[in-house]
Amino acid sequence: MSISITPAANQRMRQFLEQTPAAAGVRFGVKKTGCSGFAYVVDLAETAGTDDQTFQIDGVPVIVDAKALPLVDGTVIDFQRQGLNASFVFHNPNATGECGCGESFTVG
């Protein structure tokens, strides 16, 4: 299992965790949605569930549900600022297609 985070994403995740010290970590996963099938989810996790895997990635606890693992294995999470917009950006080798707006993806 491999998930990577860039220095920019690491810094942003640490900021979120510092603001919520009770959080167990950053939850990374997917949900069914969008025109292509799946959308990424990044949020603070209050706890880790029994089906969750916790990975320490460069000092950041990243929590992933076991069902999402095959869909996100190998993903690199980045954080980018463009003008007034800032967001996490995902480079997923499992994605075989994305919708035109880039909000959802398909796996083969």
Side-chain angles (χ1 to χ4, degrees):
M1 180 65 211
S2 168
I3 296 173
S4 304
I5 56 178
T6 66
N10 182 296
Q11 181 180 9
R12 186 65 174 154
M13 289 178 182
R14 285 178 185 267
Q15 288 172 343
F16 284 130
L17 290 169
E18 287 170 5
Q19 293 172 0
T20 312
V26 175
R27 179 168 299 283
F28 173 54
V30 296
K31 64 179 179 178
K32 285 193 168 218
T33 189
C35 39
S36 288
F38 295 99
Y40 298 104
V41 177
V42 177
D43 203 354
L44 290 177
E46 292 182 17
T47 60
T50 56
D51 290 338
D52 290 337
Q53 296 271 336
T54 301
F55 303 94
Q56 289 292 329
I57 305 173
D58 299 325
V60 174
V62 177
I63 300 169
V64 183
D65 182 284
K67 294 175 187 170
L69 287 174
L71 300 173
V72 299
D73 187 26
T75 298
V76 176
I77 305 171
D78 193 9
F79 183 77
Q80 296 180 354
R81 293 185 184 277
Q82 295 178 337
L84 297 175
N85 297 322
S87 63
F88 287 103
V89 177
F90 309 95
H91 306 283
N92 185 346
N94 302 302
T96 56
E98 292 182 345
C99 67
C101 64
E103 292 295 318
S104 61
F105 68 100
T106 309
V107 291

